[in-house]
Amino acid sequence: MSALNKLTITQALSGLENKDFTAVELAEAHIKAMEEGRTLNAYITETPELALEQAKASDARRAAGNAGALDGIPLAMKDLFCTQGVRTTAASKILENFIPPYESTVSQKLWDAGASMLGKVSLDQFGMGSSNINSAFGDVINPWSRKDSPDVKLTPGGSSGGSAAAVAGYQAMGATATDTGGSVRQPAAFTGTVGIKPSYGRCSRFGVIAFASSLDTPSFMARSVEDTTLMMQTAAGHDAKDSTSSMRDVPDWMAALKNIDLKGMKVGIPKEYTVDGMPEEITNIWQQGAQWLKEAGAEVIDVSLPHTHYALATYYILAPAEASSNLARYDGVRYGHRTSEYDDLIDMYEKTRAEGFGDEVKRRILIGTYVLSAGYYDAYYIKAQKVRRLIANDFENAFEQCDVILAPTAPSTAFALGENQNDPVKMYLNDVFTIPASLAGAPAMSVPAGLDAQGLPLGLQLISKRWDEESLVKAGRAIELAANFKGL
Ligand code: GLN
């Protein structure tokens, strides 16, 4: 039974259905893996008792013939999703002891479908970062870190680094994530897992701690395209508690995955998705991916996204601007950390925020307040909003010619923890291929496609038209079948 944690979600569901094992046994196998794998530091808060209690209830439901779509599946929850009665920190000291009085819609939907929660996983504080080094709870380690050089620990990527390490390290069957500028896709690429960001508006943001509200997208990570699709399918749909949540019906994506003939599908290769010094292996896997999609029946064409070059700068104006406004609520008055000694109200605000926020969060608040201040608002914020429109138009134009876009997920494989630490701009460059789709609100995913010369996972990114997750998951599945990627 020791390998129960190595199953995919869909395999585990059929095992449960066939009574090969129980949900309690499945939860126990994961709790053991989580406890034995603490060196990865993926979890901020472990909730084994809750997982077992939920698993017990799941076994009872299945015995009564009432099992839901994810019944008995143990998941990890990114610590940005509020979980009622369970500490939710955003990996920041400012929320170190915050116990939410409500549940996020996405997590609630997963529990309603029968899933259980192993715990809350780490991230770059408030979702700000690409390497998980910005967590107040310590670095998270990529389970792919090489055994032959124990001194060099690799980053799992970020901001959803805890989700990625837990899923790749078999400490959860799947995990929630969020993607504001690439935070599900880049960690998925760095850890050989599948990460999917639905269309903006597809899954409710209610109860997800805000970073940049016009970009934040609840997302999903697991070890197969089918598993991530199932999680997305379960969590999607309109929610009156989020005014940006779409009223559209949720299509049956799982049914679409039954037929992976890509005949009639057009795949666009954007010529702008390269950077200087990009390893040849990334270019090669990109070409290989195009070839695989062709063999699955798709037609591959060249497309152009001419404003790609401006995406990074645009994002790093708009996301901090929204963050500076969203994070104004952490003032030591309503909830979260409050400094112990202060002279007056202003002093209390200042000390609370100085003590509570990490450096990267402070940097973003400074950038954000700067670009929103009188005198700079037009030059930076308004200008960036206009460029965002041009970038979204690029995608609209490209999707007149093709159904999905294929590109690398990141310009590198997993780098060493600490690398780029003192150079925030270099760190921001790691998001160069993921940010454009975020600015356009388009669904996108990363699928593991192979290994580089050092034996580290390479991810391929697919992007589709807003609301067309169907083409995305079908193309993703075709790559998965062809790549035949083996996890750790
Ligand atoms: N790495 C990007 C940033 O630092 C994206 C983060 C995210 O998607 N949450 O903002």
Side-chain angles (χ1 to χ4, degrees), residues 127-325:
M128 299 177 187
S130 311
S131 67
N132 225 110
I133 55 169
N134 301 330
S135 165
F137 296 84
D139 293 347
V140 175
I141 292 163
N142 189 332
W144 286 83
S145 298
R146 294 176 52 150
K147 308 272 177 294
D148 53 354
S149 45
D151 296 340
V152 184
K153 296 276 182 256
L154 300 176
T155 172
S159 67
S160 308
S163 309
V167 171
Y170 302 99
Q171 299 182 17
M173 303 204 101
T176 57
T178 57
D179 192 310
T180 302
S183 275
V184 77
R185 289 165 280 160
Q186 183 254 24
F190 279 16
T191 56
T193 53
V194 180
I196 189 160
K197 171 185 103 74
S199 305
Y200 180 84
R202 187 64 99 173
C203 293
S204 170
R205 286 183 296 109
F206 177 77
V208 183
I209 294 175
F211 161 14
S213 307
S214 76
L215 296 153
D216 294 347
T217 309
S219 301
F220 308 94
M221 205 181 269
R223 293 189 296 267
S224 78
V225 172
E226 222 178 359
D227 288 2
T228 43
T229 306
L230 180 58
M231 290 177 76
M232 170 171 78
Q233 182 99 56
T234 308
H238 178 66
D239 178 15
K241 292 188 212 144
D242 171 3
S243 61
T244 59
S245 144
S246 166
M247 304 278 245
R248 281 165 194 260
D249 286 338
V250 177
D252 190 346
W253 299 306
M254 288 301 280
L257 280 183
K258 295 214 165 78
N259 167 18
I260 301 302
D261 183 357
L262 301 189
K263 215 162 281 144
M265 182 184 281
K266 283 194 179 163
V267 177
I269 306 293
K271 61 170 188 271
E272 292 83 3
Y273 276 48
T274 51
V275 291
D276 287 346
M278 187 158 92
E280 214 185 331
E281 290 147 318
I282 294 186
T283 314
N284 292 346
I285 201 76
W286 189 12
Q287 282 164 1
Q288 175 67 71
Q291 184 58 31
W292 284 332
L293 292 175
K294 226 187 253 177
E295 284 161 14
E299 186 189 336
V300 177
I301 60 166
D302 289 329
V303 292
S304 174
L305 299 163
H307 297 92
T308 300
H309 177 65
Y310 302 105
L312 206 63
T314 304
Y315 173 88
Y316 279 100
I317 291 171
L318 296 178
E322 293 187 31
S324 70
S325 162

Side-chain angles (χ1 to χ4, degrees), residues 94 331-332 337-339 348-356:
I94 209 147
D331 56 6
H337 175 72
R338 179 188 296 178
T339 190
M348 192 279 282
Y349 288 157
E350 286 178 359
K351 285 197 178 130
T352 295
R353 289 166 68 83
E355 289 165 9

Side-chain angles (χ1 to χ4, degrees), residues 82 86-89 94-102 209 335-336:
C82 285
V86 177
R87 180 170 81 131
T88 301
T89 67
I94 209 147
L95 287 175
E96 197 174 4
N97 299 311
F98 174 55
I99 299 189
Y102 54 84
I209 294 175
Y335 55 92

